[in-house]
Structure formats: structure tokens, C-alpha cells
């Protein structure tokens, strides 16, 4: 579960990115996080991954309180999250399989777990036939599916994605979003930041809208429609 | 949770292969870093070995407590023997022992058999002088006594070990000071070079490091390959320096022992030193390598 309570985030240059934000995401939910540019969406993602710390307020992520987390605990908190970015962030000189292997190995997975898990997630994202390709031998949509597979490979309870379809054409974007919904149906909590109204409107899911560092609407249904959550 | 106990196993194979591949990514820098470290260890080793040998020579001199008085070559052996009473008459002389040139040559050959073989017909007892070994009551008056003996007609030269001792003490002190200073400076230089080599690798790998953090690798895990990279460079340097030091020592000591002038020097054989040299080099190599990598990766120990 994710819970942000009265969160204020002020960057060192004085920019107040979040201004008294409250947000709760329960296990198993699928949530779109939308809002104009600069409204604080990426800041929320960075708070959840522990990349930045809140100036005020409390942030809970899957049982870890990020307000007073010990530094050594941060990696263990991060293992409960799978993170996906617009720019994929794959290791260019490693094959699809080796990118997966790397992600598992650096958190200490055993060879047995690795052998079982990688084929499973590659099948889930539909890349089982392309595991020996290098990232630059794949289309953008395929690269993003590799990134999703990597986010899933260590079996996190939550996936958070910051504009995962930002670099993709509408057809590819729909594929990726459908894949994330499918992953959600398999039991993983999913939080997706996106700009794409049309895409959001194709799904009947919870939409949290931010403006100037606050939640201005939180409703199941259509982007922009205000309703009670 | 399973993550917790998984983290306990130290993925040695992964760390070491990453460390080695890091080293080769910046082949030239690694080569330069190893070269500097080898030079550092060699200089340190050489001055330490000079100090060790000066020390050994000093204690040999102290053990012997004797002064050698060489008789002028123009004197016959009989005339030379006659000087005995003159020497005994000098104050502070406790006893004398006449050593003929033949006997000195035999002793010499006995001490350095390999030289005897080498010398063959070229050298024999005629290259040496008749001499007296003189023992004293009070070693602290060695200088005065030696001077008095030198005044006796027929004595060509007195080998006053006191002067020699002073020389060796100076040599040892200088070697010690130089080695301590050089060690300090060269250690810093080596650590700095290794640190910079590793910084280059961390820069190369910044994206991988970011991904490792993102998926939840611990700082310890992220650090290990770099620590191994430094460790490997340090140990490799130690290994190379060891063999170079061995060769150098052999070369210099065999030069010294074949030279009559240096026969006073007590050479400690390398066979009784190699263990200490290997241990010190390995320790210094580990210190330099790990020190270098830790100072390089300090910056990303945080978050
Ligand atoms: N590292 C930073 N230092 C200073 N200010 C920052 C930093 N990162 C973000 N900001 C500021 O904080 C505010 C919120 O930024 P954030 O990246 O969270 O917005 P966003 O909603 O993700 O926007 P976009 O849709 O354009 O990605 C912006 O005004 C931004 O300029
Ligand atoms: Mg953003």
C-alpha cells in the first residue's frame, strides 16, 4: 500500500513541487496519475522510490515509512517496486535476457530462481522469441516491454511508471497500457503517470488529477470528470 | 522475506568477473596505475632492503669487536710478525692475532666459495696483505686506539670499524628516512591513480549503477566490483614488484659480493627475506588498491 499524507516537497531552489498532497493507493489498485506539466507527478514518483525526501508530511510505501527510513533499508524498499520510465533505461550492450539477468543478479537471486523467472516474464510481455536481441535491435514498444519485464522480474508488489508511453505511437501506447492492466489483473498494484487523455479514457480506471502540487480530482472513470472517489 | 536471506550470499564470481572486466575497460589507465604502484613498491622495497642489510652489517661489526691492521706489502712475513709486540704495547689493546695473507685468502675462499672458483688463477693470496686482528678492552676508545696503531711503522692501514659503523648507521638512517618519506608520498600517488582509474569505470557504469539502485541492489553489492577492481590492481602490482625486487636484489648483491671492496657488507640472502618482502608487498598492494577504490566510490555510497 502507498500512502502520502500532507506531503510538501520543496526543492533546494525553493520550488514547491508538492503542496499538501494526500493520496492513498491500496494493494491491487490500478491508478492513472494525470495533470499539467509541472504539477508534481514525477516528484511523487521520486518520493516513492526514495530518490528525494519529503520536506514535510509522511510517505508510506509497502510498509516502509520513507520519512524516517534507515539508509540501508532503502534497497529493500525498492525491491517492492518495479519502476518504468519513458526512456526505457535498458543497458545497451546487454541482450534482453542479460538485462533481466542483471536485474535479478544484483538483488541476489539464485540461478534456479533466475532460470524459472526470466522465461516467465518474457512470455508475459510477449518477447520470448527476442531474448537474444540487443535493445537497439528492438522497436520502441518492444524496448518498453523489456523495461516492463525487468520491472516485474523481481516480483514487486507495485509497478510505478512515469510516462511509459511518452515515446511511443498511439497503437504501441495502447499495447503497453493494456499490458500494464493485464499485470494489474495478475495481482500487482500499478501507478501510471501519463499525459495522454485519449489513452486514459479507453480504460475505466481510477484517475488522480494533480494541479500545482495538490490532488484536484480523484475518480474512477474518465479523465477530467470530477466525481467522488 | 526471501530478499533478506538472498542478500547474504556474496556473489564472488559476479564481483570478480565485473572487477576484471572493469580493469580491462580502461586498459591503459589500469596499466599506468599498476605501473606506478609497482614503482612505489619497488622503491619502498629497495630502501627497506638497504636498511636491512646495513643493519645486518652493523650487528656483524658489533659481534666481531675487532679492528684489522694491514701490514705494508714491502715487509716480509717475518718482519710482519715482528710488529706484534709494537701493537700489544698500544694502550687498550687486549690481544692480537696475526693472519698471514695465505690464511686470509683461505678464510676468504671459505666465506665466499663461489668467488674462489671465479677467481681461479687470476687472484691468489698475493692480492691480499698480511694483517693483524686486534681486540680491544674498551670499544668506545676504538678510534684513538686505531689511530695509535696506524702510527706504528710498517702498518699501512687500519680498518677502523668505528668509521665503518658510523657509515652504516648513516646509511641505515638515510635509507630509513628516505623510505618512510617515499613510502608516504608514493602511497598517496598510487592511491590517487588507482582511485582515478576506478572513478573512470564508475563514470562508464553510471547507467548500470543507476539501474542497480533502481531495482534495489544494496550499496555494498554495488561497491564490491570496484573494490575487487582495486584489490586486483593492488595485488597484481605486488606480484610484479615482488619478482622485480627479487631480480634487482640478486643483481645488486651478487655485484657486491664479487667485489673485494664490499666484503665487509653482510648480505642477507633473499631466501631469508622473500617471505617478509612478499607479505609487505601484498599488504601494501591491498592497502593501496582497496584504499584507492574506496576513495573513488565514496561519492555513490549515499542513496
Ligand atoms: N530537481 C529539481 N530541482 C528543482 N525544481 C524541480 C526539480 N525537479 C522538478 N522541479 C520542479 O518541480 C515542479 C514539479 O516537477 P515535476 O517533475 O514533478 O512535474 P511533472 O508533473 O512530472 O511535469 P511533466 O508532466 O512535465 O513531467 C516543477 O515546477 C519543476 O520545475
Ligand atoms: Mg514528469
Amino acid at each position: 500500500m502507498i500512502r502520502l499524507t500532507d506531503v510538501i516537497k520543496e526543492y533546494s531552489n525553493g520550488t514547491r513541487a508538492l503542496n499538501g498532497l494526500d493520496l492513498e493507493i491500496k494493494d491491487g489498485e490500478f491508478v492513472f496519475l494525470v495533470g499539467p506539466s509541472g504539477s508534481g507527478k514525477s516528484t511523487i514518483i521520486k518520493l516513492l522510490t526514495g530518490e528525494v525526501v519529503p520536506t514535510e508530511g509522511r510517505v508510506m510505501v509497502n510498509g516502509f515509512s520513507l520519512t524516517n527510513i534507515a539508509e540501508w533499508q532503502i534497497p529493500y524498499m525498492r525491491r517492492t517496486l518495479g519502476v518504468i520510465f519513458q526512456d526505457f533505461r535498458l543497458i545497451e550492450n546487454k541482450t534482453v535476457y542479460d538485462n533481466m539477468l542483471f536485474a535479478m543478479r544484483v538483488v541476489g537471486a539464485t540461478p534456479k530462481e533466475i532460470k524459472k523467472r526470466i522465461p516467465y516474464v518474457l512470455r508475459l510481455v510477449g518477447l520470448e522469441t527476442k531474448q537474444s536481441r540487443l535493445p537497439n535491435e528492438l522497436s520502441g514498444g518492444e524496448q518498453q516491454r523489456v523495461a516492463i519485464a525487468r520491472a516485474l522480474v523481481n516480483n514487486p508488489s507495485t509497478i510505478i511508471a512515469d510516462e511509459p508511453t511518452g515515446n511511443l505511437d498511439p497503437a504501441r501506447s495502447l499495447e503497453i497500457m493494456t499490458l500494464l492492466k493485464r499485470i494489474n489483473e495478475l495481482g500487482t498494484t500499478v501507478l501510471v503517470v501519463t499525459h495522454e487523455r485519449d489513452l486514459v479514457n479507453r480504460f475505466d480506471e481510477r484517475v488522480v488529477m494533480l494541479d500545482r502540487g495538490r490532488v484536484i480530482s480523484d475518480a474512477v472513470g474518465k479523465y477530467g470528470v470530477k466525481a467522488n472517489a | 522475506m526471501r530478499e533478506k536471506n538472498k542478500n547474504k550470499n556474496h556473489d564472488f564470481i559476479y564481483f570478480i568477473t565485473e572487477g576484471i572486466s572493469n580493469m580491462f575497460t580502461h586498459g591503459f589507465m589500469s596499466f599506468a596505475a599498476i605501473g606506478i604502484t609497482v614503482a612505489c613498491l619497488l622503491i619502498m622495497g629497495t630502501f627497506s632492503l638497504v636498511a636491512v642489510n646495513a643493519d645486518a652489517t652493523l650487528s656483524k661489526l658489533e659481534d666481531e669487536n675487532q679492528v684489522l691492521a694491514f701490514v705494508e706489502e714491502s715487509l716480509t712475513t717475518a718482519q710482519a710478525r715482528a710488529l706484534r709486540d709494537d701493537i700489544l704495547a698500544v694502550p687498550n689493546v687486549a690481544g692480537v692475532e696475526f693472519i698471514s695473507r695465505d690464511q686470509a685468502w683461505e678464510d676468504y675462499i671459505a666465506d665466499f666459495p663461489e668467488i674462489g672458483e671465479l677467481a681461479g688463477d687470476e687472484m691468489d693470496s698475493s692480492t691480499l696483505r698480511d694483517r693483524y686482528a686486534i681486540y680491544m678492552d674498551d670499544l668506545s676508545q676504538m678510534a684513538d686506539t686505531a689511530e695509535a696503531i696506524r702510527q706504528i711503522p710498517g702498518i699501512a692501514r687500519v680498518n677502523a670499524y668505528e668509521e665503518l659503523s658510523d657509515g652504516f648507521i648513516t646509511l641505515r638512517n638515510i635509507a630509513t628516512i628516505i623510505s618512510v618519506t617515499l613510502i608516504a608520498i608514493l602511497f598517496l600517488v598510487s592511491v590517487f591513480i588507482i582511485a582515478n582509474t576506478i572513478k573512470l569505470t564508475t563514470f562508464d557504469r553510471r547507467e548500470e549503477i543507476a539501474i542497480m539502485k533502481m531495482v534495489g541492489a544494496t550499496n555494498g553489492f554495488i561497491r564490491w566490483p570496484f573494490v575487487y577492481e582495486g584489490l586486483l590492481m593492488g595485488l597484481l602490482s605486488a606480484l610484479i614488484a615482488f619478482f622485480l625486487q627479487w631480480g634487482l636484489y640478486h643483481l645488486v648483491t651478487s655485484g657486491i659480493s664479487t667485489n673485494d671492496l664490499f666484503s665487509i657488507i653482510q648480505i642477507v640472502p633473499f631466501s631469508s627475506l622473500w617471505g617478509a618482502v612478499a607479505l609487505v608487498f601484498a599488504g601494501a598492494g591491498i592497502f593501496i588498491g582497496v584504499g584507492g577504490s574506496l576513495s573513488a566510490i565514496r561519492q555513490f555510497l549515499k542513496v
Side-chain angles (χ1 to χ4, degrees):
Chain A
M1 194 185 67
I2 290 171
R3 188 194 291 136
L4 297 99
T5 317
D6 274 339
V7 172
I8 292 174
K9 173 61 195 175
E10 208 169 279
Y11 286 105
S12 52
N13 65 358
T15 309
R16 196 168 265 223
L18 298 178
N19 194 8
L21 182 119
D22 288 295
L23 177 63
E24 183 174 317
I25 298 168
K26 296 199 174 67
D27 286 345
E29 274 196 283
F30 187 103
V31 178
F32 285 117
L33 187 59
V34 302
S37 184
S39 57
K41 305 182 295 294
S42 295
T43 301
I44 291 180
I45 301 292
K46 285 188 221 159
L47 277 175
L48 298 181
T49 60
E51 204 181 316
V52 301
V53 289
T55 312
E56 270 179 47
R58 288 192 298 130
V59 179
M60 290 288 301
V61 175
N62 297 327
F64 293 88
S65 164
L66 302 199
T67 318
N68 48 21
I69 191 168
E71 202 175 305
W72 68 267
Q73 277 190 313
I74 291 177
Y76 299 97
M77 180 279 289
R78 285 184 181 150
R79 291 178 197 185
T80 70
L81 301 174
V83 192
I84 300 161
F85 295 97
Q86 179 173 353
D87 56 0
F88 320 137
R89 302 197 189 174
L90 302 173
I91 301 170
E92 291 298 326
N93 59 10
K94 287 195 199 294
T95 63
V96 169
Y97 188 91
D98 287 345
N99 267 278
M100 303 292 117
L101 178 66
F102 181 75
M104 287 193 82
R105 206 156 183 197
V106 300
V107 297
T110 64
K112 206 176 135 200
E113 292 168 313
I114 290 170
K115 259 179 107 168
K116 245 178 81 177
R117 185 73 181 166
I118 296 178
Y120 171 78
V121 289
L122 285 178
R123 223 177 307 118
L124 188 64
V125 302
L127 284 176
E128 63 272 34
T129 60
K130 299 189 172 163
Q131 60 172 23
S132 314
R133 301 264 191 106
L134 290 170
N136 65 17
E137 296 165 348
L138 296 171
S139 74
E142 287 168 334
Q143 289 186 52
Q144 192 59 298
R145 282 194 269 155
V146 177
I148 292 172
R150 182 184 60 196
L152 282 173
V153 82
N154 288 321
N155 203 14
S157 62
T158 309
I159 292 277
I160 55 183
D162 194 350
E163 307 203 27
T165 60
N167 279 345
L168 306 176
D169 62 50
R172 268 357 88 193
S173 297
L174 182 60
E175 271 177 32
I176 291 296
M177 214 56 93
T178 308
L179 176 59
L180 289 173
K181 181 58 202 152
R182 167 111 201 282
I183 288 162
N184 170 246
E185 278 158 6
L186 294 171
T188 308
T189 312
V190 177
L191 171 65
V192 188
V193 171
T194 181
H195 269 126
E196 292 162 73
R197 183 186 294 265
D198 294 344
L199 191 58
V200 172
N201 285 339
R202 299 186 74 135
F203 295 84
D204 193 31
E205 297 296 338
R206 180 177 167 198
V207 182
V208 174
M209 185 180 259
L210 291 193
D211 191 30
R212 277 166 277 173
R214 285 169 175 276
V215 176
I216 57 162
S217 96
D218 187 346
V220 175
K222 305 304 178 196
Y223 192 154
V225 176
K226 291 189 183 176
N228 297 321
Chain B
M1 273 183 59
R2 73 177 184 170
E3 280 88 358
K4 284 250 161 115
N5 52 44
K6 274 195 307 192
N7 192 48
K8 281 198 185 111
N9 67 349
H10 184 88
D11 198 340
F12 181 75
I13 306 277
Y14 174 82
F15 296 142
I16 204 92
T17 48
E18 287 295 298
I20 291 172
S21 101
N22 283 353
M23 234 171 76
F24 283 104
T25 323
H26 293 289
F28 179 76
M29 273 300 285
S30 303
F31 177 79
I34 290 172
I36 299 276
T37 310
V38 167
C40 161
L41 293 177
L42 259 185
I43 292 171
M44 171 183 107
T46 303
F47 279 97
S48 306
L49 289 175
V50 167
V52 165
N53 281 285
D55 213 45
T57 305
L58 268 174
S59 48
K60 183 186 93 173
L61 292 179
E62 278 164 14
D63 285 350
E64 290 182 352
N65 289 342
Q66 63 165 7
V67 163
L68 284 181
F70 297 93
V71 178
E72 278 183 12
E73 281 180 81
S74 55
L75 271 61
T76 63
T77 300
Q79 286 170 316
R81 283 184 188 280
L83 292 172
R84 179 188 180 89
D85 291 340
D86 293 337
I87 296 170
L88 272 175
V90 173
N92 192 36
V93 170
V96 292
E97 185 191 339
F98 181 74
I99 303 166
S100 70
R101 58 179 72 178
D102 294 329
Q103 197 191 330
W105 178 246
E106 269 165 37
D107 291 349
Y108 193 65
I109 299 292
D111 281 351
F112 304 100
E114 66 276 18
I115 295 168
E117 285 163 30
L118 274 176
D121 299 334
E122 313 273 302
M123 265 168 79
D124 60 24
S125 63
S126 67
T127 54
L128 300 179
R129 293 165 186 259
D130 291 325
R131 64 197 61 185
Y132 282 96
I134 300 162
Y135 302 91
M136 298 182 193
D137 291 323
D138 183 359
L139 274 174
S140 66
Q141 293 179 35
M142 188 190 261
D144 291 341
T145 312
E147 188 49 40
I149 297 168
R150 193 172 292 122
Q151 301 303 324
I152 300 171
I155 296 294
R157 190 155 62 84
V158 176
N159 208 341
Y161 282 160
E162 194 204 27
E163 285 170 20
L164 262 175
S165 306
D166 283 353
F168 280 104
I169 288 172
T170 313
L171 179 67
R172 185 189 55 186
N173 290 348
I174 290 177
T176 307
I177 291 168
I178 291 181
S179 53
V180 167
T181 317
L182 279 176
I183 288 167
I185 295 171
L186 292 170
F187 255 54
L188 288 179
V189 171
S190 304
V191 167
F192 180 78
I193 300 259
I194 289 193
N196 273 293
T197 309
I198 292 173
K199 261 187 201 152
L200 274 184
T201 349
T202 62
F203 185 74
D204 263 9
R205 306 224 147 189
R206 63 196 182 282
E207 279 166 11
E208 281 175 47
I209 291 170
I211 290 166
M212 286 165 97
K213 284 185 176 175
M214 184 177 86
V215 300
T218 59
N219 279 334
F221 190 95
I222 296 171
R223 262 178 260 159
W224 275 113
F226 300 105
V227 173
Y228 275 104
E229 183 185 358
L231 187 68
L232 279 172
M233 285 200 272
L235 284 178
L236 204 60
S237 305
L239 194 72
I240 295 168
F242 176 79
F243 285 108
L244 287 179
Q245 185 79 75
W246 189 353
L248 189 69
Y249 193 80
H250 186 74
L251 218 70
V252 171
T253 54
S254 61
I256 287 174
S257 61
T258 50
N259 192 326
D260 194 21
L261 260 178
F262 297 130
S263 64
I264 192 74
I265 296 174
Q266 177 69 35
I267 292 166
V268 183
F270 198 71
S271 58
S272 65
L273 289 174
W274 75 265
V277 171
L279 215 69
V280 169
F281 277 15
I286 290 170
F287 180 86
I288 291 170
V290 173
S293 54
L294 287 182
S295 89
I297 61 185
R298 222 179 14 201
Q299 63 203 42
F300 65 75
L301 301 191
K302 299 190 189 108
V303 180

